[in-house]
Amino acid sequence: MVDALLQAAPWWAWVGFHAFVFMMLALDLGVFNRRVHAPSMREAGIWSAVWITLALIFNLLIFQAEGTQKGLEWFTGYVLEKSLSVDNLFVFVLVFQSFQVDLRHQHRVLFWGVFGALIMRAAMILAGTALLNRFEWMMYVFGAFLIYTGVKMLLLKDSESDPTQNPMVRAFRRFVPYDEKGGHEHFWTKKNGRHFATPMLLVLITIEVTDLVFAVDSIPAVLAVSRDPFVVYTSNIFAIMGLRSLYFLLAKMMDRFHRLKTGLAVVLSFVGVKMCIAEWVHIPVQYSLLVIASVLAGSVVASLAWPAEQGGTE
């Protein structure tokens, strides 16, 4: 496993990337967001621009160090993961609404959610690349799963289920000492010498599980673009790191992009087909990027051109 990582990139590249990520996380929570507050649209817009700019600078370094092919793979993976992450934001909105989390407390949950996602994504990417390198037939399994997921997204309407009543939440409340009125200031509260989980901790666990479910779709999709663990991992992490600011930027406009899910379904199906036919038909990464960008741009334009009917979903 270690040899495979070092073949993808030298050790100093892995260490340097993680040092940068943790430095940005520390600046984010420890300096710029020490005070609990609800980020304004301006603040969210600035941070979104910062993360996109940093991602593009890193992509430029990949182009210079590894060449055009790796650079295009990185950018395609970033666009793909960023787009799929937007779908994740719809679920985040539902979770926060269901648990009645005030906007000023949502940033901290998303911060720790990103921290947990770093670990989960790393494990899934390493496992996925190892499986594909060792068992080539797994490519067809991943491809078929992406096609199934895309078709399912196209055919099934959004579920209106209450996240507070799913089996994971009910099991947590049953087996972990839980204070329903613990609020959203802290993850744990202490009463009569005992520690109790607060609703805030339950929200965090729900967000982590949600990210894990979405990663099951997004990781195989990015692996269809590149088998390089460094390319897949770093593009994934850059997309996730900018997710929190993007959430606060788009949270009040989610219903305007009602056709985005259709575009994502088409993209997942396309990537799945690409994986399944790769042995016979090679689709260059630049063409894959063109298809993905065109479909996503088309779904956004269609959403704005044909708004959803009030009081219902299409």
Side-chain angles (χ1 to χ4, degrees):
M1 184 71 72
V2 174
D3 290 341
L5 294 179
L6 293 179
Q7 287 176 4
W11 67 268
W12 53 264
W14 289 99
V15 173
F17 176 76
H18 284 95
F20 166 77
V21 168
F22 290 127
M23 179 191 70
M24 291 300 296
L25 287 173
L27 287 174
D28 188 352
L29 193 65
V31 178
F32 296 107
N33 292 286
R34 291 177 60 185
R35 179 176 56 86
V36 176
H37 69 290
S40 64
M41 290 286 287
R42 180 176 179 275
E43 182 182 348
I46 291 174
W47 271 103
S48 293
V50 167
W51 278 113
I52 291 173
T53 301
L54 289 173
L56 294 179
I57 292 174
F58 189 85
N59 190 198
L60 181 61
L61 295 176
I62 296 292
F63 268 106
Q64 292 180 338
E66 299 292 336
T68 302
Q69 179 67 23
K70 293 289 185 181
L72 284 174
E73 289 178 3
W74 196 98
F75 185 69
T76 304
Y78 175 75
V79 170
L80 184 58
E81 178 61 32
K82 195 77 168 178
S83 305
L84 292 171
S85 295
V86 172
D87 192 39
N88 209 349
L89 298 183
F90 287 88
V91 180
F92 288 176
V93 171
L94 180 59
V95 170
F96 288 135
Q97 288 176 347
S98 299
F99 285 94
Q100 299 179 340
V101 181
D102 188 83
L103 191 63
R104 63 195 183 98
H105 295 302
Q106 293 176 11
H107 182 276
R108 192 154 59 96
V109 175
L110 293 174
F111 172 88
W112 290 110
V114 167
F115 193 80
L118 292 175
I119 300 172
M120 290 192 297
R121 296 297 176 103
M124 295 185 69
I125 289 170
L126 293 179
T129 52
L131 281 172
L132 286 175
N133 290 332
R134 187 175 180 84
F135 306 106
E136 192 67 26
W137 53 267
M138 285 297 297
M139 178 175 62
Y140 303 110
V141 176
F142 286 171
F145 177 74
L146 290 176
I147 295 172
Y148 166 78
T149 303
V151 172
K152 184 179 177 182
M153 288 177 67
L154 279 174
L155 299 180
L156 297 182
K157 293 185 177 297
D158 292 339
S159 172
E160 297 296 330
S161 60
D162 184 357
T164 64
Q165 298 302 319
N166 70 44
M168 182 274 298
V169 171
R170 292 201 302 268
F172 180 89
R173 284 174 168 164
R174 180 178 179 182
F175 295 107
V176 177
Y178 181 70
D179 181 8
E180 187 76 41
K181 299 181 180 180
H184 301 116
E185 293 285 345
H186 306 284
F187 294 119
W188 295 92
T189 186
K190 191 173 183 179
K191 288 185 176 181
N192 300 322
R194 292 186 63 194
H195 285 87
F196 292 84
T198 67
M200 190 67 151
L201 181 60
L202 196 52
V203 171
L204 176 61
I205 292 174
T206 305
I207 291 294
E208 294 287 13
V209 172
T210 299
D211 180 74
L212 180 62
V213 171
F214 275 86
V216 172
D217 295 336
S218 64
I219 298 301
V222 180
L223 288 173
V225 175
S226 176
R227 298 281 188 89
D228 188 317
F230 190 75
V231 168
V232 175
Y233 179 69
T234 54
S235 61
N236 228 267
I237 297 307
F238 263 108
I240 293 173
M241 292 293 288
L243 188 60
R244 287 165 303 121
S245 52
L246 187 63
Y247 168 82
F248 289 105
L249 189 63
L250 300 179
K252 297 180 180 179
M253 301 186 293
M254 288 297 179
D255 54 347
R256 297 187 186 181
F257 303 107
H258 59 287
R259 297 186 186 274
L260 180 60
K261 188 174 288 290
T262 301
L264 293 174
V266 173
V267 167
L268 285 177
S269 300
F270 164 74
V271 174
V273 170
K274 180 178 183 291
M275 292 189 82
C276 290
I277 67 174
E279 185 176 348
W280 303 279
V281 179
H282 172 66
I283 302 178
V285 65
Q286 57 265 35
Y287 295 152
S288 297
L289 176 60
L290 179 62
V291 170
I292 292 169
S294 299
V295 170
L296 293 174
S299 65
V300 171
V301 171
S303 297
L304 299 176
W306 295 281
E309 295 180 5
Q310 296 296 322
T313 57
E314 294 184 6

